[in-house]
Amino acid sequence: MTDLDRDTADRRMWHVVITTAGAALPVDRVREALERLADRHQFLLSARYASDRAEVRYWDESGNVRDIAARAFSVWSDYSEIAALPPWEVVGLEVVERDAFHARLGGRRGRRAGDPDVSGLASGGIHPF
């Protein structure tokens, strides 16, 4: 097995959620910025927004969670200029391996206190909170 084969075999899919927040802006400006981000970050699944915060969700692939988290943490700043994103800071980051993510979606009759809200994840698009 070559190093490339080994690297490919060790790669896993991760569901990423980045939450940003900052000074309030017109919601149209926030929505338009997220639309530009979606055009440039092809793997964007969905985004939610308000005048003072935004949340983006996407899938990424890597062999370990540290690489995904490091890459995810820099997405907002990396695309900040080209997508004219609000000058907000990352205030939340969640990275969940694919099997764990899918386990959240199925097999439970209801959410318990503290469970993440994963409703509407399949709808995609860019929507207000």
Side-chain angles (χ1 to χ4, degrees):
M1 180 181 272
T2 68
D3 285 343
L4 180 59
D5 292 335
R6 198 172 298 107
D7 289 344
T8 302
D10 292 339
R11 296 176 74 77
R12 294 184 283 171
M13 292 299 294
W14 303 87
H15 184 261
V16 178
V17 180
I18 302 168
T19 305
T20 61
L25 299 169
V27 291
D28 288 344
R29 178 176 168 201
V30 177
R31 180 184 39 75
E32 290 166 0
L34 291 171
E35 288 170 351
R36 286 187 297 273
L37 176 62
D39 286 342
R40 287 158 178 83
H41 191 278
Q42 298 300 316
F43 301 106
L44 187 75
L45 289 175
S46 66
R48 299 188 304 172
Y49 64 93
S51 63
D52 62 347
R53 63 190 168 120
E55 177 184 277
V56 296
R57 298 170 180 268
Y58 62 93
W59 288 99
D60 203 347
E61 186 177 24
S62 178
N64 65 69
V65 70
R66 279 178 294 226
D67 290 347
I68 290 296
R71 198 162 45 228
F73 195 73
S74 67
V75 163
W76 195 261
S77 61
D78 289 351
Y79 287 91
S80 167
E81 189 173 321
I82 61 172
L85 296 173
W88 295 340
E89 68 176 317
V90 173
V91 296
L93 176 63
E94 180 185 51
V95 179
V96 179
E97 194 270 335
R98 178 175 41 201
D99 291 341
F101 175 79
H102 288 296
R104 289 179 176 181
L105 295 178
R108 280 198 247 167
R109 293 189 178 262
R111 288 180 48 216
R112 296 175 297 203
D115 283 351
D117 180 7
V118 293
S119 61
L121 291 180
S123 63
I126 298 171
H127 305 283
F129 277 102

